[in-house]
Amino acid sequence: MADDDLPDSLEPAVDIPPREEPPAPPTPKGDLRVASVVAIVTGVVVIAWYLFIATASTIAEIENLPVIQIGMWVLALVSFVCGIVSLNARMARELAAAGFIAGVAAGLLSVTIGLFSGLELLG
């Protein structure tokens, strides 16, 4: 009888070695939340500054205006670059999209308003 030689299916297999554990999953790539947050924060600062320039009539009375304008150009560049980097995000895509939009908006405002008004103020 061949059925007598087979192990009982309800008994634990004590003589079978355990299987090897599969390797741990790799760390997720494309987590660019920091770049997205930097793009959003710097973009909001740049947009707020240019809205202030467009609405304030006391712009000529601000001290250190050339330094502030150069700082806004740097912040707009940082926001634009971080917004472009956010396009490669594989995680937190909504945040990455917001970072991209803020970076592009800051870059466009810096070119349209900031470049001409800044060159006029600096020159």
Side-chain angles (χ1 to χ4, degrees):
M1 299 238 172
D3 288 342
D4 293 335
D5 296 334
L6 294 175
D8 188 8
S9 62
L10 298 178
E11 290 181 16
V14 291
D15 57 342
I16 299 175
R19 287 189 281 172
E20 292 181 19
E21 291 291 322
T27 57
K29 295 181 181 179
D31 189 9
L32 299 172
R33 286 181 276 198
V34 173
S36 300
V37 169
V38 168
I40 291 170
V41 170
T42 56
V44 166
V45 169
V46 170
I47 291 168
W49 170 251
Y50 288 125
L51 284 176
F52 173 73
I53 285 179
T55 58
S57 61
T58 61
I59 194 70
E61 298 175 7
I62 297 177
E63 295 179 13
N64 298 327
L65 188 61
V67 174
I68 294 172
Q69 186 60 42
I70 291 171
M72 287 301 128
W73 286 337
V74 169
L75 281 179
L77 181 65
V78 168
S79 180
F80 184 74
V81 168
C82 287
I84 296 297
V85 167
S86 295
L87 284 177
N88 293 326
R90 295 181 187 152
M91 298 176 62
R93 291 190 177 187
E94 294 84 7
L95 184 66
F100 173 71
I101 291 169
V104 169
L108 289 175
L109 272 176
S110 181
V111 168
T112 56
I113 296 174
L115 185 63
F116 299 114
S117 66
L119 289 176
E120 184 178 308
L121 291 171
L122 295 176

